[in-house]
Every structure is written in structure tokens, then in C-alpha cells.
Amino acid sequence: MRRDTIFAEATVPGRGGVSVIRVSGPDAWTAAERMAGALPAPRMAGLRQICDPADGRVLDEGLVLAFEAGASFTGEPVVEFQLHGSRAVVRAILGALGGFEELRLAEAGEFTRRAMENGRLDLGQVEALGDLIDAETEAQRLQALRGMDGILGRKTAEWRADLVRASGLLTACLDFSEEELPDDLSDEILTLIERTAASVQEEVQSASAGERVRNGFEVAIVGRPNAGKSTLLNALARRDVALTSDIAGTTRDIVEARLDLKGHLVTLLDTAGLRATDDVVEGLGISRARQRAEEADLRVFLLMRGESPDDLGLTVRQGDLVVDAKGDQLTGGVFPVSGLSGLGLDRLLSEISDEIVGRASFVASASNLRQKAALEDAATALVAADQIMRADSGALDLVSENLRISLFSLDRLIGRVDVEDMLDVVFSSFCVGK
């Protein structure tokens, strides 16, 4: 079936130095030739006057690039117009393209979707491309580039090869259903399942770190009312984010500040002071503070003299930091910190950074909840297959079914199965020109 030819602005709308308009599909070159004359050689830029085919008016002068099918981003014939970044120019070119009956404006993410459908990208690479566009920190950029390199697809191909081999051996073994399963076949099937299960489970563990790099780490500052949490947040953020006051219980809701620490996105949370109260609104704030503190990746316990974390009703976890509040008013102290004077702030930021860098040190191939869920489903089915194989070598049909489930989960991971609803969600997050 002949596909539509689509077009859209590929750069951010608005005024700028350069704007790029992309055209993709079977009629892309024909339309471009009618507007710019003879096209330059494929993948070579050429300066052209770009005209309205309806009346021959010159709309702009810019660079034209043509890509043949199989050598473009989408895998289709593509033409890109690199124009002056004027709203009027872009509007005029888009209007001229819209005048072709065989062309239509692209939908959100349609260029990238065509790239996937034409085998140029798998679903993991598509999601990594979205992550790269949204990257705010160096760690996010590097992780997204690893994803775009296709590391998840390559690992999945290795897992699938082992499981397809194991499934094939199981099919052959069904001939022995009334007899003892040959030891050499049984051992090879178990080896393939165990190896794949271990590798997938390792990837599930690293996926948690990858997800945190992608979405950012949360660090909650917890303590009593008037311990200086809001002042500390403002000092760490180097701007007035939270309202400060000598009146205890000023903070009722969660106040957030985003930082880039050693290339990692970190959200600092200033929470309501933890204490018993009869104030309904403050009580709601305290309840929310406890919940966010439990969910945070790590906590900074800001304690007054003589206090312990137990006094706040929270248990110190590995990686949490316990510091002395209002350190500028103390003599001694294990880890004195003051948002007012700046005492201990460099050390505090350094220790938070070191903890986060350590947690993010796993090289993750998967980086979001969808990918992690697919990996978990595959790992669960593989563990079940392994257990059944060891407990009852005659239950080959159950082992085979669990291998089928794991293969389906891996295919879902990289978009090889019919998952239209899921794809609609993924591609809807892209801009029209992508």
C-alpha cells in the first residue's frame, strides 16, 4: 500500500537563525524538485531558491538536502529544507507544501514512528531518542546516547537467540515425553535458561538506577520545625525557593529545588517540620512530608542538639546523611551545617553527590518503567521455567509455555509485537517535527 508523504517543521517553532522543514515519503523528491529545481546529489547540501509552485514566487533561499530510501532517518525518501529562521518564511514554505494533494502535515512523532516501522530504530532506541531530546544533565545525555546506540536491542537479540534455541530443543524433546529426557539435552536447556535468566535479572536491577538517572534523584531534608530546613534548601539551591520564618511550622507543603550535581539531576525536597500537632492543615503537611521522605532516594536528617532520627519517627537507611542543624551556633558537632553561614554546605553537597554517583554507577540498558516491567515479566517466566525443569523434567509443556511468555515479553520490550496502544502513548510525547 502506498504511504502518504508527510512534512513538518523539524526545529522549534519561532524566530531563530535557521529553521528546518522535513519532507518524508514516496513523493518527497518530486515535491521538492517542483519547489527548488534539480536536487543536489543525495546527502550533499545544495543552495537553492525555493519557490511556490503555484505561482513561481521566491519564498526563500536556503540549503536543500536529499536522502534516498534506506539512507534517511525514516528509511523513506526524504528532503530537508534548511531555511532562514523567520516565522513568515516557515509559514510560507509549509503553505506551499500543503498545496500538494499528495502531501499532508505530519502527526506528532510520525517521522520517528516511520523510522521504527522501517527498521531504522527499535522501540528502545525511540524512547532513548525522546530521552536525549529531554536530557537536562550530562548523565541523562550519556544514558540516552547509549540507548540510541541500540544496546538494549542487542542484548535482547542475545537473550532471544538463547531462548529460541532452548524452545527448539524442548520441541525436539517432546518426542521423549513418555521416556527419560536425555541428559545432554536437559543440561543444555537448563544452561540456556539459567544464563538468560541471570542476565535479564541483572538488567532489572540496573534498570532501577537507569530510571533514576532518567527521572532524577530525590533528596528529602527532614527535621523538626524551625530546624533550618528551608534556609538550608535556599542555601543549597542558591536562590530563595522556600519561605523562611522564625515561626515554627511555616512549611506546610513540599517545596522543591532542582540541581545538577556532578551531571545528575537532583530534586531537593523541603518538608514540613515533623512534630505532634493539633493543627489540621499542618498535620496534613506532616503526613505528606513523611510519605515523601519514605519515597525519597536519600534523606538529610537535620537534627537539633540531643535529637536522634528516632525522635522524628524515621529510620536511617543506607546512604542517608545525619547532620547537626544550625551548626554556626554549635561548638563541636559531628557534621555541623548552617544555611545561614554556609558552614558545611560544600561537604554536604559533596557527600550527596558521591552517594548519587555511586548509585548511578551501573551501566543500564533499560531506563524507564515500561522497559523495566517487560524485563521483570521475562525474568519471572524464566525463573518459573527453571524451577519446573528442575522439579519435573516431564512437564515440558509448562517449561515451553514459560519460555513463550518470556519471549513475548522481550519482543514487547523492543516493540516487535503488536502493541498499538502502547506505541500511541510513546510517540504522542514527540513533537510534530520528530
Side-chain angles (χ1 to χ4, degrees), residues 59-353:
L59 303 178
D60 193 22
E61 184 176 64
L63 294 178
V64 177
L65 292 92
F67 302 86
E68 64 266 57
S72 69
F73 173 70
T74 62
E76 302 174 327
V78 167
V79 174
E80 290 186 357
F81 297 103
Q82 296 187 4
L83 313 163
H84 294 98
S86 155
R87 292 186 181 91
V89 167
V90 170
R91 192 162 49 244
I93 301 295
L94 291 177
L97 289 169
F100 291 95
E101 291 185 3
E102 60 272 26
L103 271 61
R104 66 169 174 82
L105 191 65
E107 298 175 359
E110 191 169 4
F111 289 101
T112 307
R113 185 161 189 160
R114 290 191 176 194
M116 178 180 161
E117 292 171 347
N118 291 325
R120 302 290 289 175
L121 301 172
D122 62 37
L123 185 55
Q125 290 173 299
V126 167
E127 291 174 315
L129 174 58
D131 290 344
L132 183 62
I133 293 171
D134 293 334
E136 299 179 51
T137 68
E138 181 67 3
Q140 290 173 333
R141 182 186 71 83
L142 292 174
Q143 179 168 276
L145 284 176
R146 283 197 300 271
M148 285 190 63
D149 188 47
I151 184 172
L152 187 59
R154 290 194 296 274
K155 283 189 174 183
T156 302
E158 293 175 3
W159 296 330
R160 290 189 83 262
D162 280 351
L163 295 182
V164 169
R165 167 72 177 167
S167 295
L169 292 175
L170 276 171
T171 299
C173 288
L174 289 176
D175 293 337
F176 298 90
S177 58
E178 301 299 327
E179 308 171 25
E180 185 69 22
L181 183 65
D183 288 338
D184 55 342
L185 290 183
S186 177
D187 290 344
E188 183 176 358
I189 292 170
L190 270 174
T191 298
L192 290 168
I193 294 174
E194 285 179 347
R195 182 171 66 198
T196 307
S199 182
V200 172
Q201 287 175 317
E202 182 180 347
E203 193 60 43
V204 170
Q205 295 300 316
S206 65
S208 297
E211 182 192 349
R212 298 319 295 158
V213 170
R214 179 178 185 265
N215 297 325
F217 294 82
E218 286 194 346
V219 178
I221 304 173
V222 296
R224 294 283 189 190
N226 246 8
K229 299 183 298 301
S230 298
T231 301
L232 178 60
L233 177 75
N234 290 341
L236 294 174
R238 297 183 179 178
R239 63 185 188 278
D240 289 335
V241 180
L243 178 67
T244 60
S245 171
D246 293 332
I247 302 173
T250 301
T251 301
R252 302 294 181 91
D253 208 344
I254 308 295
V255 180
E256 302 182 358
R258 290 157 70 90
L259 304 179
D260 184 335
L261 297 183
K262 292 187 177 180
H264 291 278
L265 178 62
V266 176
T267 300
L268 295 177
L269 307 176
D270 175 25
T271 61
L274 304 180
R275 67 174 177 179
T277 180
D278 294 327
D279 186 304
V280 175
V281 177
E282 185 182 0
L284 291 173
I286 291 172
S287 176
R288 183 174 297 179
R290 290 188 184 281
Q291 179 182 351
R292 290 297 294 274
E294 291 291 351
E295 295 171 351
D297 296 290
L298 63 95
R299 288 81 62 82
V300 176
F301 287 82
L302 195 58
L303 303 181
M304 304 292 284
R305 183 183 293 275
E307 285 184 340
S308 74
D310 291 339
D311 297 329
L312 302 179
L314 295 171
T315 302
V316 177
R317 302 189 301 235
Q318 182 177 358
D320 287 345
L321 301 172
V322 179
V323 303
D324 300 303
K326 301 185 178 180
D328 56 334
Q329 301 176 18
L330 296 175
T331 54
V334 177
F335 192 161
V337 168
S338 171
L340 282 177
S341 69
L343 177 68
L345 295 190
D346 288 342
R347 177 186 171 188
L348 180 59
L349 283 174
S350 178
E351 294 203 14
I352 292 173
S353 299

Side-chain angles (χ1 to χ4, degrees), residues 7-29:
F7 66 91
E9 185 177 5
T11 44
V12 177
R15 179 182 176 186
V18 176
S19 290
V20 177
I21 292 177
R22 176 182 290 159
V23 188
S24 178
D27 295 307
W29 284 27

Side-chain angles (χ1 to χ4, degrees), residues 379-392:
T380 299
L382 288 171
V383 169
D386 180 75
Q387 292 173 343
I388 295 169
M389 191 82 180
R390 292 179 182 280
D392 182 3

